[in-house]
Amino acid sequence: AAKKQGGDQLSLYSLTLDEAAQNAANMRLLLETGLKNNQLVLYYQPIVNSFGGVSGVESLLRIRDPDRGLLGPSAFWAGLDHHRYARDVGIFVMDAAFRQGQIWQQQGLALRVSINISAHHLLDARFLDDLERALRKYPGLPAEQIEIEITESAPLNDLLHAQERLAACNDLGVRVALDDFGTGNASLTYLQQLPAQSVKLDQSFVRDMINDPKDLAIVAAVITASRMLGLDVIAEGVETEAHAKLLAKMGCGHLQGYLFAKPMPGEDIPLWLQQFKNLNLSVLSHSSIDI
Ligand code: C2E
Ligand code: MG
Ligand code: MG
Ligand code: MG
């Protein structure tokens, strides 16, 4: 019986491993096919400031799958973070986002555009060439209105390398944001050592801060530390008025989340901006007076 049990456990275990590997392979294939067949699209989510204005938009990658419809990164996560695709994705994102940014610019909408860049691409020797080429292609979008979002996934031994790259981005005028801040285990090191202009407070802290005093403490600490270092703070995952109010009260300058808008196609942004201007965001204006 023991032998049988062991045998079962073994096959169950390897089945799980198999499934995980298969799953990752499918995700990579989805991204590879999407790249090859021009199925990648960017959606854009507005970022607002705590005075009721608009700070910019973040581009978020989607794949238009002929069978399954529009798919978000959870469907191709393993591909996004794979060295084989990171650069191709990054090049697509730069081109699509800067083109859209230039169109808004021509429409009189001076929007800041944030793009997510994988650490694999950032640390690729061709990264700065890729960035400069895209900047040259869309001269109507000033580099100062572009922000690159980097998550804390870059290994520590590459910190020096990342530091150099990001400083070079700054030299071009491009801003740097530390994404998903607080989830990695080297947060404060990154905050101190990477040349960044913004910190994006991870949505997990924002979501739980109302009920969990520990999450609230982390949110408050990140806001305070960032402000002392002269960095903008952007809270992600703001879903309720209670969240927005509390964040604004604590001095968080910028907010992003479903409360304001879900990610949408670029051509929908002008109409959203129009509607947002006509909203009376009492949540935000009252709390900013309170500070
Ligand atoms: P992220 O950069 O932290 O982006 C924020 C994610 O939170 C987005 O998920 C967005 O749709 C979602 N979100 C925004 N507001 C709310 C809210 O109020 N509630 C909740 N529950 N979620 C909200 P999305 O679009 O699924 O993207 C997931 C992640 O995939 C991104 O996290 C980013 O790490 C990665 N990603 C997205 N686009 C790209 C890309 O172009 N390149 C790379 N390398 N990674 C990307
Ligand atoms: Mg991001
Ligand atoms: Mg994030
Ligand atoms: Mg995230």
Side-chain angles (χ1 to χ4, degrees):
K3 203 174 174 184
K4 187 169 181 268
Q5 202 181 38
D8 282 347
Q9 271 172 2
L10 189 70
S11 65
L12 213 119
Y13 184 55
S14 45
L15 191 76
T16 311
L17 275 184
D18 264 9
E19 275 174 355
Q22 190 55 51
N23 202 12
N26 286 341
M27 287 187 178
R28 290 198 299 271
L29 185 64
L30 183 67
L31 188 59
E32 188 175 309
T33 310
L35 279 163
K36 220 177 347 199
N37 299 344
N38 294 316
Q39 293 165 347
L40 270 54
V41 281
L42 290 183
Y43 268 43
Y44 297 87
Q45 185 180 35
I47 301 169
V48 308
N49 67 42
S50 56
F51 300 102
V54 176
S55 320
V57 296
E58 177 181 5
S59 73
L60 294 159
L61 190 62
R62 303 289 181 259
I63 290 180
R64 225 180 263 294
D65 186 84
D67 302 322
R68 291 192 286 162
L70 197 67
L71 303 175
S74 60
F76 49 90
W77 193 248
L80 266 190
D81 215 32
H82 195 279
H83 62 87
R84 200 188 302 156
Y85 308 112
R87 177 169 180 249
D88 288 343
V89 170
I91 289 174
F92 166 81
V93 168
M94 286 173 183
D95 188 77
F98 297 177
R99 172 186 302 144
Q100 179 62 74
Q102 180 171 278
I103 291 172
W104 286 324
Q105 205 75 26
Q106 287 159 350
Q107 294 172 336
L109 306 170
L111 280 174
R112 178 181 295 164
V113 180
S114 301
I115 59 173
N116 292 283
I117 289 293
S118 142
H120 290 296
H121 190 198
L122 178 74
L123 298 175
D124 186 300
R126 298 160 290 186
F127 176 76
L128 286 172
D129 283 342
D130 295 338
L131 179 60
E132 286 183 89
R133 196 175 315 116
L135 287 172
R136 274 196 306 272
K137 190 169 170 194
Y138 302 105
L141 178 67
E144 290 70 21
Q145 275 169 234
I146 295 162
E147 189 158 87
I148 289 178
E149 299 191 2
I150 302 291
T151 57
E152 296 176 59
S153 61
L156 255 182
N157 55 354
D158 277 341
L159 192 64
L160 212 70
H161 204 167
Q163 212 172 22
E164 263 174 36
R165 282 290 150 80
L166 295 174
C169 291
N170 280 177
D171 289 343
L172 292 170
V174 172
R175 297 168 53 97
V176 171
L178 303 181
D179 204 351
D180 303 331
F181 194 80
T183 54
N185 49 20
S187 304
L188 288 175
T189 309
Y190 281 86
L191 198 59
Q192 185 207 16
Q193 305 208 357
L194 292 179
Q197 286 68 50
S198 309
V199 164
K200 299 196 77 173
L201 195 51
D202 191 69
Q203 55 188 54
S204 58
F205 301 113
V206 175
R207 193 189 312 123
D208 299 337
M209 69 178 182
I210 305 271
N211 299 316
D212 189 338
K214 288 183 182 168
D215 283 295
L216 185 64
I218 289 174
V219 169
V222 171
I223 293 172
T224 304
S226 302
R227 288 177 58 145
M228 289 180 80
L229 291 164
L231 302 170
D232 283 349
V233 189
I234 303 161
E236 305 187 297
V238 181
E239 294 187 357
T240 67
E241 291 199 359
H243 285 120
K245 209 173 218 162
L246 187 54
L247 286 161
K249 205 164 199 158
M250 288 193 290
C252 181
H254 306 268
L255 311 168
Q256 179 180 2
Y258 297 164
L259 175 64
F260 307 104
K262 292 199 167 172
M264 64 185 90
E267 66 256 31
D268 293 353
I269 288 286
L271 181 62
W272 180 86
L273 286 171
Q274 204 60 46
Q275 289 167 343
F276 185 74
K277 240 187 0 203
N278 298 329
L279 270 182
N280 178 19
L281 274 181
S282 52
V283 192
L284 296 178
S285 45
H286 285 167
S287 44
S288 39
I289 290 165
D290 280 354
I291 296 170

